[in-house]
């Protein structure tokens, strides 16, 4: 039923409705986002992962750049990773987060408390493609700037008797994920070990693949680790 001031975003192949949005909403196609990343990363070796769950209204991207790494402690390297999501339901603009990938154990990390939004102002910008180069350079600089924080985590030792380290209510994660994290931390000692106990659970032990949930829990793990690091 037509509604004044609104329009529907509809798939052309099966006529599924992906979102009800303002009639001023400008669609940013998933394909345009992927092309924007690929253009910005020309000449750089990267690993791309594209996930489009459910009906297709959301897309999640990761771009792992292994040639840009940080050494947290001897032999423990993390690689730069960009994490992005795009939606057709009007919930958010294209959003890009700074991430990392721990090479020694294949854990995905979400570094930072927020996403960087990218807004398309008019259809002409979409037609020409999106220019992500400056934003990616900015995030790469921030990645290098996190080294002191990550190294600090690796030097801060934890009182293992704290009841809040693996309290589902305190860390705001599902009980089963917290149980996996607690098991992962069995031989851990530092805030870095604690952080990676959670990222390992989020990366490898989710009961159902959910890129959005992984991002949310990944940010919570980062925030909890930062808080703990400041308290010690």
């Amino acid at each position: 039923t037509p509604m004044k001031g609104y329009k529907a975003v509809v798939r052309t192949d099966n006529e599924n409705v992906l979102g009800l949005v303002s009639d001023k909403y400008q669609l940013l196609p998933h394909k345009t986002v992927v092309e924007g990343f690929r253009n910005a990363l020309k000449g750089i070796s990267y690993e791309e992962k594209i996930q489009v769950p459910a009906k297709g209204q959301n897309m999640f991207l990761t771009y792992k750049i292994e040639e840009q790494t940080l050494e947290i402690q001897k032999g423990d390297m993390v690689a730069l990773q960009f994490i992005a999501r795009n939606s057709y339901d009007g919930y958010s603009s294209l959003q890009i987060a700074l991430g990392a990938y721990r090479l020694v154990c294949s854990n995905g990390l979400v570094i930072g408390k927020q996403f960087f939004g990218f807004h398309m102002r008019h259809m002409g910008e979409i037609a020409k493609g999106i220019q992500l180069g400056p934003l990616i350079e900015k995030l790469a600089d921030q990645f290098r700037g996190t080294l002191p924080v990550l190294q600090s985590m690796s030097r801060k030792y934890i009182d293992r008797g704290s009841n809040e380290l693996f309290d589902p209510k305190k860390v705001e994660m599902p009980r089963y994920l917290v149980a996996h994290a607690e098991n992962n931390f069995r031989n851990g000692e530092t805030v870095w070990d604690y952080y990676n106990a959670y990222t390992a659970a989020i990366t490898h032990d989710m009961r159902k693949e959910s890129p959005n949930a992984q991002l949310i829990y990944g940010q919570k793990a980062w925030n909890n680790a930062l808080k703990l690091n400041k308290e010690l």
Side-chain angles (χ1 to χ4, degrees):
T1 303
M3 296 175 61
K4 186 177 181 180
Y6 291 90
K7 62 184 177 183
V9 180
V10 182
R11 285 181 62 142
T12 58
D13 58 348
N14 57 22
E15 297 188 351
N16 280 339
V17 176
L18 304 183
L20 183 65
V21 297
S22 162
D23 57 7
K24 297 178 181 178
Y25 175 80
Q26 300 293 345
L27 187 77
L28 176 57
H30 294 334
K31 180 181 178 181
T32 302
V33 176
V34 173
E35 290 173 347
F37 268 99
R38 291 175 179 174
N39 288 334
L41 295 173
K42 275 184 179 177
I44 298 173
S45 177
Y46 62 84
E47 181 181 312
E48 176 187 72
K49 183 178 181 180
I50 303 173
Q51 295 169 282
V52 186
K55 296 179 180 180
Q57 64 265 43
N58 294 293
M59 176 183 68
F60 298 85
L61 296 173
T62 56
Y63 288 88
K64 182 167 62 178
I65 318 295
E66 289 197 14
E67 62 187 52
Q68 289 203 42
T69 59
L70 302 176
E71 187 171 38
I72 310 306
Q73 50 193 4
K74 188 173 177 62
D76 191 352
M77 311 292 292
V78 295
L80 171 61
Q81 184 167 267
F82 301 110
I83 306 166
R85 63 183 175 191
N86 190 48
S87 74
Y88 289 163
D89 54 15
Y91 179 74
S92 65
S93 62
L94 167 63
Q95 296 183 313
I96 304 172
L98 174 60
Y101 194 83
R102 194 181 183 203
L103 299 179
V104 70
C105 57
S106 303
N107 288 355
L109 315 178
V110 181
I111 296 177
K113 298 181 180 180
Q114 64 183 23
F115 283 89
F116 291 82
F118 191 96
H119 299 269
M120 304 303 294
R121 295 181 182 174
H122 50 73
M123 288 300 292
E125 290 187 23
I126 297 176
K128 292 186 292 185
I130 55 178
Q131 304 301 317
L132 295 176
L135 179 55
I136 286 178
E137 290 176 10
K138 178 179 179 180
L139 290 174
D141 287 341
Q142 288 196 4
F143 172 69
R144 290 184 285 271
T146 61
L147 180 59
V149 176
L150 299 177
Q151 288 180 331
S152 174
M153 287 183 183
S154 73
R155 294 190 294 264
K156 296 285 186 69
Y157 288 85
I158 292 175
D159 175 10
R160 299 178 65 89
S162 172
N163 294 324
E164 297 186 358
L165 293 176
F166 299 100
D167 181 343
K169 292 182 180 179
K170 294 289 185 180
V171 298
E172 300 181 274
M173 290 187 204
R175 189 173 298 276
Y176 81 93
L177 270 185
V178 175
H180 278 294
E182 187 170 13
N183 185 62
N184 293 338
F185 188 66
R186 187 172 298 172
N187 297 316
E189 297 180 321
T190 66
V191 176
W192 178 242
D193 297 326
Y194 171 76
Y195 177 45
N196 279 281
Y198 274 102
T199 59
I202 295 164
T203 303
H204 304 293
D205 298 313
M206 294 280 290
R207 287 178 178 171
K208 182 180 180 182
E209 185 178 38
S210 174
N212 192 55
Q214 284 185 316
L215 288 176
I216 293 171
Y217 297 148
Q219 287 180 305
K220 289 183 183 298
W222 172 257
N223 292 340
N224 290 334
L226 275 186
K227 181 181 177 182
L228 183 59
N229 197 55
K230 290 178 180 179
E231 292 173 350
L232 294 176

